[in-house]
Amino acid sequence: MFNIILFGPPGSGKGTQSKLLIEKYGLVHLSTGDLLRSEIAAQTALGLEAKALMDKGQLVPDEVVVGMISSVLDAKPNAKGFLFDGFPRTETQSEALDNLLKLKKSEIGVVLALDVNEEELIKRLINRALTSGRSDDANPEVQKKRQEVYKRETLPVAAYYNKFNKVVHVKGEGTVEEIFSALCSEIEKRLS
Ligand code: ADP
């Protein structure tokens, strides 16, 4: 099993690149943002609780997202590998993920970190708000909060995996194809 974490701030292109990567490498896509939005659409109790936090740009509690991830890992015992997108988002989530994978005699193969400058991120998120229909995209205050939460809670995830030499930085600026091919070449170095 080869597992990848696609890492980067809101707006760095994780969703776009994830779609291309899972297709090319036959991985199972695990986006906690998408899983949470499905819960909201289905109007579950979990979805209602999550929506209140997401609309403020805050994180959903670790045990909630870890529980969702754990269920999908259990449901797909024959997966060739998983692509984690938007998860882990805290150091606690990183430790929990490593433990879950260890139980399956597996581990994270690489953390691909998409680097995009802040000005470009803001531009992309403003654009995304026009088409995404996401209430957390439309409000500039919420956008700002998400970037703050990213710096405070999520950047430590990269530091955590850096201790195990698993982080590779890839330039997240350029065309979708250019970024995709840079990601693929990093993956292939590690697959062979
Ligand atoms: P983006 O692509 O803009 O970073 P996501 O779709 O990944 O956004 O997530 C949207 C929101 O869902 C986050 O702002 C957060 O409230 C919640 N969320 C998603 N993943 C996690 C996670 N791993 N831990 C906690 N909250 C999460």
Side-chain angles (χ1 to χ4, degrees), residues 10 14 32-33 36-37 54 58-60 65 86-87 89 93 128 134 136 146:
K14 300 187 296 292
T32 39
L36 290 166
R37 282 184 287 275
M54 290 163 78
Q58 291 170 4
L59 293 182
V60 173
V65 285
F87 177 89
R89 242 178 170 92
Q93 292 178 19
R128 188 168 85 180
R134 278 174 52 172
D136 60 342
R146 274 155 68 195

Side-chain angles (χ1 to χ4, degrees), residues 89-141:
R89 242 178 170 92
T90 64
E91 191 165 343
T92 305
Q93 292 178 19
S94 312
E95 286 164 0
L97 175 61
D98 282 359
N99 288 330
L100 288 173
L101 290 174
K102 212 175 274 170
L103 290 174
K104 310 216 173 287
K105 310 253 178 295
S106 189
E107 62 177 357
I108 292 298
V110 67
V111 178
L112 298 169
L114 286 170
D115 292 334
V116 180
N117 76 65
E118 204 148 331
E119 209 178 308
E120 170 75 15
L121 286 177
I122 293 167
K123 228 191 294 168
R124 289 187 190 175
L125 286 168
I126 290 170
N127 266 325
R128 188 168 85 180
L130 299 175
T131 54
S132 71
R134 278 174 52 172
S135 45
D136 60 342
D137 277 345
N139 182 328
E141 282 305 309

